[in-house]
Amino acid sequence: MAIRRQVEISSDLSSAPLTSDAAPVRFSLDGTHYEIDLTADEERTLRACLQPYLAAARRSGRQDNQAAGPTATAPELRAWAAANGYVLPSRGRIPDYVREAHSVSERSASVAGILDLLEPVGP
């Protein structure tokens, strides 16, 4: 007997199934960052509702991705996750906790590399 498990990503708003190329929609309001999975129609509706406000608004500060530096691609994250004991499906969205763990690992490696370059200070 074989067991087959299937993961289906669905809209956070309507629970409708999403296509494999759907990407989360990210936005910020009052300093809080949000991410939501939407169907293509729901995303168009959201963007249409926000358009008058976006047209009248001005951008301020830096965008998060400018401060964070380069991010890993999905295949890089999947390879890192597999090498570090995380079990992920071969397709679909990569959970935020895996992205965060990868980010922490990269920062730790960068700090360790810098510390290796420093000369010890002693008496």
Side-chain angles (χ1 to χ4, degrees):
M1 175 170 93
I3 296 174
R4 184 176 180 192
R5 295 178 193 243
Q6 188 171 0
V7 176
E8 182 177 279
I9 307 295
S10 59
S11 165
D12 292 326
L13 187 63
S14 65
S15 298
L18 298 178
T19 60
S20 61
D21 61 342
V25 177
R26 294 179 179 92
F27 60 96
S28 297
L29 182 64
D30 295 335
T32 302
H33 304 290
Y34 298 91
E35 178 178 290
I36 188 168
D37 293 319
L38 299 172
T39 65
D41 287 340
E42 292 166 345
E43 182 178 349
R44 277 191 292 277
T45 300
L46 174 63
R47 291 181 186 281
C49 289
L50 292 174
Q51 185 54 44
Y53 300 97
L54 294 173
R58 62 191 169 281
R59 291 185 179 198
S60 67
R62 295 194 316 187
Q63 294 180 359
D64 286 342
N65 59 0
Q66 291 174 336
T71 58
T73 65
E76 291 169 339
L77 284 170
R78 288 184 196 290
W80 178 89
N84 287 279
Y86 292 91
V87 178
L88 297 177
S90 62
R91 293 180 52 189
R93 195 165 136 200
I94 297 173
D96 288 340
Y97 67 88
V98 172
R99 290 180 183 280
E100 181 62 27
H102 176 266
S103 178
V104 167
S105 171
E106 291 296 305
R107 284 193 304 266
S108 296
S110 294
V111 169
I114 291 169
L115 293 176
D116 288 342
L117 297 174
L118 297 176
E119 303 245 350
V121 177

